[in-house]
Amino acid sequence: MLFCLSNFVPISVASKAENKGASNTMIGVIFGCYALFEFLASLVFGKYLVHIGAKFMFIAGMFISGGVTIIFGVMDQLPDGPIFIIMCFLVRVIDAIGFGAAITASSSILTKAFPNNVATVLGSLEVFTGLGLVVGPPLGGFLYQSFGYEMPFISLGCVVLLMIPLNICILPSYESDPGEHSFWKLVTLPKVGLISFTLISVSSCFGFLDPILSLFVLSKFNLPAGYVGLVFLGLALSYTISSPLFGLLSDKMPTDSHMYQDAAVCVGLLTTSGAKMHLRKWLLVFGNLITAVCFMLLGPAPIVHIKSQMWLLVLILVVNGIAAGMSIIPTFPEVLSCAYENGFEEGLSTLGLVSGLTSAMWSAGAFIGPMLGGFLYEKIGFEWAAACGGLWPLTSGLAMGLFYLLEDSRRRSKPQSFDGTEEEEAALLPLRV
């Protein structure tokens, strides 16, 4: 429901702000401040999650988002000019703070409740994120056209508020002592730094298309404005469907692996559950590389000499949605496992840091992507702009791949330990050579 709100509010507020006398630049500031303050709020709430309490933070975030959404519904009563613009800015900032609190706390609560199935749970949660992307704009548009400006905001805000008592009864309360580690120590870990860069790149690619893809489709294929939203369904639906699958694969086949254990599976000495594959980290790597290729073909870029066609654009968006699931779902468990490996305590304090960091990095990309996309589209056109946008996931994918190859090389150079019986250990000796 929160994602449904976050995807409908900008559309309606933009048209209303323009009618109230806001310039295009001011509308951009109103939009951009949301991602910026969500970034800041995620870092703060992640650090102080234990002090505030995860359940209270989540409930408070829902209350703020629901209340602010209702306020949006009555803002058309304000006079035109500076008063309306200032109130838009303030309400969007408060909404971003509430959203950041709810998202940071929800990730921590789910990870604490399902510690052995982190990626599966978060991947399943992304189904509702995708549904918010799909349902939000058309549902809000229907309510807007049928009942006026106020109805979508008031109705959706009330639904969020009505969900608060249910969450108060259902959600468990977790208590933990404050940790001694900080965001700075977490983000300066090489792997975490690279994954943070990856999150920013994938998020920026999502935001990159928001202001320019619809303009390209309208001008290139002469589609009616009402059909443009259907083009985005390919991206949203493929991401929604693929995310739970990649979450399940990430949990069943995580990162720590020894080559001789993989070989042991082949000869039947170990079960597949005993040999942990490299799948999760390579999902992350190839997801970024596939995203880069998709952006090269969105236009397509002139250097590939392929004619732009509607079916090709929709197909590329579908593949891009699947690649986004590959890139996004493994990030949280990868950062969490890296934190534990480097001495972070296993508890709510570390979960808050990881939740706040991943949410903040996503918000940073959401802040950068639309501005970069709009600037490049104006300067060099959609085809080259999309190709340039693909350089970011290409860089992050190659960097992550190189890091993992070096990491595997270091692990294989160290003596491997084995927890099996003496007979299994003796049987595996030839495989180690």
Side-chain angles (χ1 to χ4, degrees):
M1 184 59 67
L2 292 178
F3 279 99
C4 183
L5 290 173
S6 66
N7 282 279
F8 169 70
V9 168
I11 299 173
S12 300
V13 172
S15 60
K16 181 61 65 174
E18 187 175 15
N19 295 334
K20 289 284 189 176
S23 65
N24 290 331
T25 301
M26 190 55 62
I27 294 174
V29 171
I30 294 172
F31 282 175
C33 73
Y34 184 91
L36 177 61
F37 279 87
E38 185 187 344
F39 167 82
L40 298 174
S42 297
L43 293 177
V44 173
F45 290 133
K47 174 64 177 176
Y48 295 102
L49 178 73
V50 174
H51 301 79
I52 299 173
K55 182 176 180 178
F56 177 80
M57 183 183 294
F58 179 73
I59 298 300
M62 290 186 63
F63 179 80
I64 292 172
S65 292
V68 164
T69 303
I70 294 175
I71 293 175
F72 266 122
V74 298
M75 284 182 58
D76 64 328
Q77 306 298 323
L78 293 173
D80 298 354
I83 295 178
F84 179 84
I85 294 172
I86 293 173
M87 285 301 299
C88 277
F89 179 81
L90 291 177
V91 173
R92 286 286 283 172
V93 168
I94 296 172
D95 192 17
I97 294 172
F99 187 81
I103 294 300
T104 301
S106 65
S107 299
S108 302
I109 292 172
L110 289 171
T111 307
K112 182 69 174 178
F114 304 96
N116 298 321
N117 300 283
V118 176
T120 301
V121 172
L122 295 180
S124 301
L125 189 64
E126 289 302 301
V127 171
F128 300 96
T129 302
L131 290 176
L133 294 171
V134 173
V135 174
L139 175 61
F142 170 76
L143 293 175
Y144 181 89
Q145 293 292 334
S146 301
F147 304 102
Y149 173 83
E150 298 86 356
M151 183 55 65
F153 294 100
I154 295 175
S155 58
L156 294 176
C158 288
V159 170
V160 173
L161 293 179
L162 290 174
M163 293 172 64
I164 291 178
L166 178 64
N167 282 278
I168 291 176
C169 297
I170 293 177
L171 291 181
S173 296
Y174 295 114
E175 295 183 0
S176 178
D177 295 327
E180 58 185 25
H181 300 292
S182 64
F183 273 115
W184 179 249
K185 182 176 181 180
L186 180 63
V187 78
T188 51
L189 297 174
K191 181 190 286 190
V192 175
L194 285 173
I195 294 175
S196 298
F197 179 74
T198 298
L199 268 174
I200 295 174
S201 70
V202 176
S203 176
S204 68
C205 287
F206 267 95
F208 189 94
L209 297 177
D210 283 344
I212 64 174
L213 181 58
S214 58
L215 298 176
F216 172 73
V217 171
L218 287 171
S219 62
K220 189 73 175 181
F221 303 107
N222 297 317
L223 284 181
Y227 288 91
V228 174
L230 297 177
V231 176
F232 285 89
L233 286 180
L235 176 64
L237 288 177
S238 60
Y239 175 71
T240 301
I241 296 171
S242 64
S243 292
L245 173 62
F246 291 129
L248 183 63
L249 292 175
S250 295
D251 279 333
K252 297 300 181 183
M253 298 180 180
T255 56
D256 296 330
S257 159
H258 302 313
M259 291 298 293
Y260 76 90
Q261 288 185 342
D262 296 342
V265 172
C266 298
V267 297
L269 295 176
L270 288 175
T271 63
T272 52
S273 60
K276 297 180 178 180
M277 307 287 285
H278 287 267
L279 182 61
R280 187 166 71 196
K281 61 187 181 183
W282 293 114
L283 282 176
L284 198 156
V285 171
F286 284 104
N288 277 271
L289 297 180
I290 294 172
T291 299
V293 174
C294 288
F295 268 69
M296 181 69 69
L297 297 176
L298 271 178
I303 57 174
V304 299
H305 303 292
I306 298 177
K307 183 180 179 181
S308 179
Q309 301 180 68
M310 176 57 70
W311 69 266
L312 178 61
L313 176 66
V314 174
L315 176 63
I316 293 301
L317 288 174
V318 170
V319 176
N320 195 15
I322 298 173
M326 296 172 64
S327 304
I328 295 169
I329 301 305
T331 54
F332 192 100
E334 278 288 277
V335 173
L336 187 61
S337 63
C338 182
Y340 288 156
E341 290 170 3
N342 286 272
F344 284 70
E345 61 275 4
E346 295 190 18
L348 200 59
S349 177
T350 300
L351 294 178
L353 291 176
V354 175
S355 299
L357 179 66
T358 53
S359 179
M361 294 304 102
W362 184 265
S363 300
F367 178 71
I368 297 171
M371 293 190 300
L372 181 63
F375 173 79
L376 291 177
Y377 178 79
E378 183 178 345
K379 296 297 182 182
I380 57 179
F382 180 84
E383 291 85 352
W384 281 113
C388 292
L391 294 177
W392 202 330
L394 176 64
T395 303
S396 62
L398 292 176
M400 288 300 303
L402 179 61
F403 176 85
Y404 282 132
L405 289 174
L406 294 174
E407 185 181 54
D408 284 347
S409 178
R410 287 195 300 268
R411 287 182 176 178
R412 292 169 189 169
S413 65
K414 296 179 181 179
Q416 304 289 353
S417 60
F418 180 64
D419 297 330
T421 64
E422 294 182 359
E423 291 79 7
E424 290 174 337
E425 175 76 9
L428 286 173
L429 285 176
L431 296 173
R432 294 182 181 178
V433 178

